[in-house]
Amino acid sequence: MDTSEVATMLNMSTSWVYREASKLGLRGYKLGQGRNAKVLYKRTEVFKWLEQQKIH
């Protein structure tokens, strides 16, 4: 998933995802170099993090 897809799913901004992803345990995978590099996240890791956020 790219950053905008993660942001949309979490109802947050892309800048929030970039800033908070490592704190949440989501590792980004950078494709390319420099400012135009695309950052991708594993769908399974995003859903795993969401599952951990359940309120019991």
Side-chain angles (χ1 to χ4, degrees), residues 16-35:
W16 183 88
V17 174
Y18 283 122
R19 187 176 59 249
E20 301 294 324
S22 64
K23 296 176 191 173
L24 303 176
L26 300 176
R27 289 180 294 169
Y29 298 87
K30 188 174 178 181
L31 300 177
Q33 296 178 345
R35 300 190 76 195

Side-chain angles (χ1 to χ4, degrees), residues 14-55:
T14 55
S15 60
W16 183 88
V17 174
Y18 283 122
R19 187 176 59 249
E20 301 294 324
S22 64
K23 296 176 191 173
L24 303 176
L26 300 176
R27 289 180 294 169
Y29 298 87
K30 188 174 178 181
L31 300 177
Q33 296 178 345
R35 300 190 76 195
N36 294 327
K38 191 169 192 169
V39 178
L40 300 177
Y41 300 91
K42 287 187 177 179
R43 187 177 304 273
T44 55
E45 289 181 3
V46 174
F47 283 110
K48 181 180 176 184
W49 178 81
L50 276 175
E51 192 66 28
Q52 293 171 349
Q53 302 311 304
K54 277 187 180 179
I55 299 173

